Amino acid sequence: MNRRAFPIVISGPSGSGKTTICQRILADDPLAAYSVSVTTRPPRPGEVDGDHYEFVTEGEFDALVADGALAEWAVVHGYRYGTRRSVIDAHLADGEDVLMDLDVQGGMSMRKAYPESLLVFIQPPSHEVLEARLRNRATDSEEVISTRLRNAIAECECSPDYDTCVVNDSLEHAVDEVRLVIARERIKRDMGSGK
Ligand code: ADP
Ligand code: 5GP
């Protein structure tokens, strides 16, 4: 395959809907593949090693950083998260656009490491809705939810640094909008006009 594939970074505060939107896009987009990150966060119930994340120890993460194996990494909500350069490059070499669920630090790092990246920010409709969705998700303790809500304010302030911002009010609309942004970008790049 000789299309020029590119990384697609999806960022937004915890609970904004990044995971849900990525899953919906991946379900019916043969040209997109998911980048599984490495993390020191313990798995949530139901999370599968190698599928949701590659779960590693602090020592293993240190070794990846020392070896220069990570294209980007950051401390998010108290744990380290990173992306293996080899994972991104393998998908790109296969002609697959690489969907990456990253925090805003990761988004900015990707802009430098892979300047061809498309950066999409997922915005919650309001702080109150975000809080309700985090509680409904029921995957995190009260303490973890409080940290994530506190961090949400600073994260949303970074949205102007992104190529586009999508408000996740109705899930259907948000997914359609992200699909449209990706489709438009592919056409632009296939036509060779750049971003
Ligand atoms: P993130 O990956 O950004 O932390 P999730 O995809 O886990 O967010 O979404 C947080 C919660 O909100 C999940 O329980 C999800 O099912 C729900 N959710 C996502 N988008 C919507 C939406 N548009 N309307 C209502 N609930 C939503
Ligand atoms: P969660 O613990 O909810 O799965 O993810 C917490 C945060 O870490 C989210 O904002 C998510 O986007 C971010 N994240 C996940 N993987 C990576 C990664 O590889 N690098 C960076 N920088 N952030 C990541």
Side-chain angles (χ1 to χ4, degrees):
M1 197 175 303
N2 58 11
R3 68 181 292 267
R4 285 259 306 269
F6 54 95
I8 303 167
V9 175
I10 307 284
S11 297
S14 185
S16 60
K18 303 179 297 293
T19 308
T20 312
I21 291 171
C22 284
Q23 282 170 352
R24 293 282 290 265
I25 287 170
L26 289 162
D28 60 8
D29 186 341
L31 289 180
Y34 188 65
S35 162
V36 177
S37 295
V38 181
T39 185
T40 58
R41 167 170 80 62
R44 293 181 185 136
E47 282 185 334
V48 178
D49 188 34
D51 187 356
H52 297 89
Y53 281 104
E54 182 184 342
F55 296 100
V56 297
T57 63
E58 294 289 346
E60 287 167 336
F61 202 100
D62 285 341
L64 290 171
V65 174
D67 291 348
L70 302 181
E72 64 76 35
W73 70 272
V75 177
V76 191
H77 313 311
Y79 293 102
R80 285 188 290 176
Y81 296 79
T83 311
R84 286 181 185 272
R85 207 180 295 277
S86 59
V87 167
I88 302 176
D89 292 344
H91 287 307
L92 293 180
D94 284 346
E96 293 170 321
D97 298 330
V98 193
L99 209 50
M100 308 173 71
D101 176 341
L102 305 184
D103 86 311
V104 291
Q105 304 169 81
M108 293 306 103
S109 300
M110 281 299 291
R111 173 94 79 207
K112 290 204 188 90
Y114 292 77
E116 73 274 31
S117 300
L118 171 68
L119 270 60
V120 180
F121 194 89
I122 308 297
Q123 188 98 46
S126 70
H127 199 73
E128 290 70 30
V129 169
L130 183 67
E131 180 166 358
R133 286 184 188 165
L134 277 176
R135 289 195 199 292
N136 275 342
R137 187 169 71 180
T139 50
D140 302 300
S141 67
E142 202 47 45
E143 192 190 339
V144 168
I145 290 177
S146 297
T147 307
R148 287 172 181 240
L149 283 172
R150 247 192 336 270
N151 293 343
I153 296 163
E155 282 168 318
C156 285
E157 282 171 2
C158 297
S159 63
D161 295 329
Y162 278 66
D163 294 315
T164 190
C165 184
V166 172
V167 177
N168 181 15
D169 195 344
S170 140
L171 181 62
E172 299 308 318
H173 287 168
V175 170
D176 280 350
E177 210 173 320
V178 175
R179 283 198 186 111
L180 200 66
V181 167
I182 295 172
R184 211 181 283 134
E185 199 61 32
R186 285 176 178 159
I187 291 168
K188 253 203 258 177
R189 291 173 192 228
D190 286 350
M191 288 169 64
S193 59
K195 274 175 73 172

